[in-house]
Coordinates of all heavy atoms in Angstrom, one line a residue:
I1 N -9.3 -13.8 -7.2 CA -8.0 -13.6 -6.7 C -7.8 -12.1 -6.4 O -7.2 -11.7 -5.4 CB -7.0 -14.0 -7.8 CG1 -6.9 -15.5 -7.8 CG2 -5.6 -13.4 -7.5 CD1 -6.0 -16.1 -8.9
F2 N -8.3 -11.2 -7.3 CA -8.2 -9.8 -7.0 C -8.9 -9.4 -5.7 O -8.4 -8.7 -4.9 CB -8.9 -9.0 -8.2 CG -8.2 -9.0 -9.5 CD1 -8.8 -8.6 -10.6 CD2 -6.9 -9.4 -9.5 CE1 -8.1 -8.6 -11.9 CE2 -6.1 -9.4 -10.7 CZ -6.8 -9.0 -11.9
T3 N -10.2 -9.9 -5.5 CA -10.9 -9.6 -4.3 C -10.2 -10.1 -3.0 O -10.1 -9.3 -2.1 CB -12.3 -10.3 -4.4 OG1 -13.1 -9.7 -5.5 CG2 -13.1 -10.2 -3.1
L4 N -9.6 -11.3 -3.1 CA -9.0 -11.8 -1.9 C -7.7 -11.1 -1.5 O -7.3 -11.1 -0.3 CB -8.7 -13.3 -2.1 CG -9.9 -14.3 -2.4 CD1 -9.4 -15.7 -2.4 CD2 -10.9 -14.1 -1.2
H5 N -7.1 -10.4 -2.5 CA -5.9 -9.6 -2.2 C -6.0 -8.1 -2.1 O -5.1 -7.4 -2.1 CB -4.9 -10.0 -3.4 CG -4.3 -11.4 -3.3 ND1 -5.0 -12.4 -3.8 CD2 -3.3 -11.9 -2.7 CE1 -4.2 -13.5 -3.7 NE2 -3.2 -13.2 -3.0
A6 N -7.3 -7.7 -2.1 CA -7.5 -6.2 -2.2 C -7.0 -5.5 -1.0 O -6.5 -4.3 -1.1 CB -9.0 -5.9 -2.4
D7 N -7.1 -6.0 0.2 CA -6.6 -5.4 1.4 C -6.3 -6.4 2.5 O -7.0 -7.5 2.4 CB -7.5 -4.3 1.9 CG -6.8 -3.3 2.8 OD1 -5.7 -2.8 2.5 OD2 -7.4 -3.0 3.9
H8 N -5.4 -6.1 3.4 CA -5.1 -7.1 4.4 C -4.5 -6.3 5.7 O -3.5 -6.7 6.2 CB -4.1 -8.1 3.9 CG -4.3 -9.5 4.6 ND1 -3.3 -10.1 5.3 CD2 -5.4 -10.3 4.7 CE1 -3.8 -11.2 5.8 NE2 -5.0 -11.4 5.5
E9 N -5.3 -5.4 6.1 CA -4.9 -4.6 7.4 C -3.5 -3.9 7.2 O -3.1 -3.6 6.1 CB -4.9 -5.6 8.6 CG -5.5 -4.9 9.8 CD -5.5 -5.8 11.0 OE1 -4.4 -6.1 11.5 OE2 -6.6 -6.3 11.5
Q10 N -2.8 -3.8 8.3 CA -1.5 -3.1 8.3 C -0.3 -3.9 8.0 O 0.6 -4.0 8.9 CB -1.4 -2.3 9.6 CG -2.5 -1.4 9.9 CD -2.9 -0.4 8.8 OE1 -2.0 0.2 8.2 NE2 -4.2 -0.3 8.5
N11 N -0.2 -4.6 6.9 CA 0.9 -5.4 6.6 C 2.1 -4.5 6.1 O 2.0 -3.3 6.1 CB 0.5 -6.4 5.4 CG -0.1 -5.6 4.2 OD1 0.6 -5.0 3.5 ND2 -1.5 -5.7 4.1
A12 N 3.2 -5.1 5.7 CA 4.4 -4.4 5.4 C 4.2 -3.4 4.3 O 4.6 -2.2 4.4 CB 5.6 -5.3 5.1
S13 N 3.6 -3.8 3.2 CA 3.5 -2.8 2.1 C 2.5 -1.7 2.4 O 2.6 -0.6 1.9 CB 3.0 -3.6 0.8 OG 1.9 -4.3 1.0
T14 N 1.3 -2.1 3.1 CA 0.4 -1.1 3.4 C 1.0 0.0 4.4 O 0.8 1.2 4.2 CB -0.9 -1.7 4.1 OG1 -1.5 -2.6 3.1 CG2 -1.9 -0.6 4.5
S15 N 1.8 -0.5 5.3 CA 2.5 0.4 6.3 C 3.4 1.2 5.5 O 3.6 2.4 5.9 CB 3.2 -0.4 7.3 OG 2.2 -1.2 8.2
T16 N 4.1 0.7 4.4 CA 5.0 1.5 3.7 C 4.3 2.6 2.9 O 4.8 3.7 2.9 CB 5.7 0.6 2.6 OG1 6.5 -0.4 3.2 CG2 6.6 1.4 1.7
V17 N 3.1 2.3 2.3 CA 2.3 3.3 1.7 C 1.9 4.4 2.7 O 2.0 5.6 2.4 CB 1.1 2.7 1.0 CG1 0.2 3.8 0.5 CG2 1.4 1.7 -0.1
R18 N 1.4 4.0 3.8 CA 1.1 4.9 4.8 C 2.3 5.8 5.3 O 2.1 7.1 5.4 CB 0.5 4.3 6.0 CG -1.0 3.9 5.9 CD -1.6 3.3 7.2 NE -2.9 3.1 7.2 CZ -3.9 3.8 7.7 NH1 -3.5 5.0 8.3 NH2 -5.1 3.6 7.7
L19 N 3.4 5.3 5.5 CA 4.6 5.9 6.0 C 5.1 6.9 4.9 O 5.3 8.1 5.2 CB 5.7 5.0 6.3 CG 7.0 5.6 7.0 CD1 6.6 6.2 8.3 CD2 8.1 4.6 7.2
A20 N 5.1 6.5 3.6 CA 5.5 7.4 2.6 C 4.5 8.5 2.4 O 4.8 9.7 2.2 CB 5.5 6.7 1.2
G21 N 3.2 8.3 2.5 CA 2.1 9.2 2.4 C 2.1 10.3 3.6 O 1.6 11.4 3.4
S22 N 2.6 9.8 4.7 CA 2.6 10.7 5.9 C 3.4 11.9 5.7 O 3.3 13.0 6.4 CB 3.1 9.9 7.2 OG 4.5 9.7 7.1
S23 N 4.4 11.9 4.7 CA 5.1 13.1 4.4 C 4.5 14.0 3.5 O 5.0 15.1 3.2 CB 6.4 12.7 3.8 OG 6.4 12.2 2.5
G24 N 3.2 13.6 3.0 CA 2.6 14.4 1.9 C 3.0 14.1 0.6 O 2.7 14.8 -0.4
A25 N 3.6 13.0 0.4 CA 4.1 12.6 -0.9 C 3.0 12.3 -1.9 O 1.9 12.0 -1.5 CB 5.0 11.3 -0.8
N26 N 3.4 12.4 -3.2 CA 2.3 12.1 -4.3 C 1.8 10.7 -4.1 O 2.6 9.7 -3.9 CB 3.0 12.3 -5.6 CG 2.1 12.1 -6.8 OD1 1.6 11.1 -7.1 ND2 1.8 13.3 -7.4
P27 N 0.5 10.5 -4.3 CA 0.0 9.1 -4.1 C 0.5 8.1 -5.1 O 0.6 6.9 -4.7 CB -1.6 9.3 -4.3 CG -1.7 10.6 -5.0 CD -0.6 11.5 -4.6
F28 N 0.8 8.5 -6.3 CA 1.4 7.6 -7.2 C 2.8 7.1 -6.8 O 3.1 5.9 -6.9 CB 1.6 8.2 -8.7 CG 0.3 8.7 -9.2 CD1 0.0 10.0 -9.5 CD2 -0.7 7.8 -9.5 CE1 -1.2 10.4 -10.1 CE2 -2.0 8.2 -10.1 CZ -2.1 9.5 -10.3
A29 N 3.5 8.1 -6.2 CA 4.8 7.7 -5.6 C 4.7 6.7 -4.4 O 5.4 5.8 -4.2 CB 5.6 8.9 -5.1
C30 N 3.6 7.0 -3.6 CA 3.3 6.1 -2.4 C 3.0 4.7 -2.9 O 3.5 3.8 -2.2 CB 2.2 6.7 -1.6 SG 2.5 8.3 -0.9
I31 N 2.2 4.6 -3.9 CA 1.9 3.2 -4.4 C 3.1 2.5 -5.0 O 3.3 1.4 -4.8 CB 0.7 3.3 -5.5 CG1 -0.5 3.9 -4.9 CG2 0.4 2.0 -6.1 CD1 -1.1 3.2 -3.6
S32 N 4.0 3.2 -5.7 CA 5.2 2.7 -6.2 C 6.0 2.2 -5.0 O 6.7 1.1 -5.1 CB 6.0 3.8 -6.9 OG 7.2 3.3 -7.3
A33 N 6.1 2.9 -3.8 CA 6.8 2.4 -2.7 C 6.1 1.1 -2.2 O 6.9 0.2 -1.7 CB 6.8 3.5 -1.6
G34 N 4.8 1.1 -2.2 CA 4.2 -0.1 -1.8 C 4.5 -1.3 -2.6 O 4.7 -2.4 -2.1
I35 N 4.5 -1.0 -3.9 CA 4.9 -2.2 -4.9 C 6.4 -2.7 -4.6 O 6.5 -3.9 -4.6 CB 4.8 -1.6 -6.3 CG1 3.3 -1.3 -6.7 CG2 5.4 -2.6 -7.3 CD1 3.1 -0.6 -7.9
A36 N 7.2 -1.8 -4.3 CA 8.7 -2.1 -4.0 C 8.7 -3.0 -2.8 O 9.4 -4.0 -2.8 CB 9.5 -0.9 -3.8
C37 N 7.9 -2.6 -1.8 CA 7.9 -3.5 -0.5 C 7.3 -4.9 -0.8 O 7.7 -5.8 -0.3 CB 7.2 -2.7 0.6 SG 7.0 -3.6 2.1

């Protein structure tokens, strides 16, 4: 289950992490944003 869910291209949460990170935000904060999405 972990392996199958490890990544899935540019989905909503991944795009959220990238968008948050594009401002130079802390990676822990970026992952938190991804979890919220």
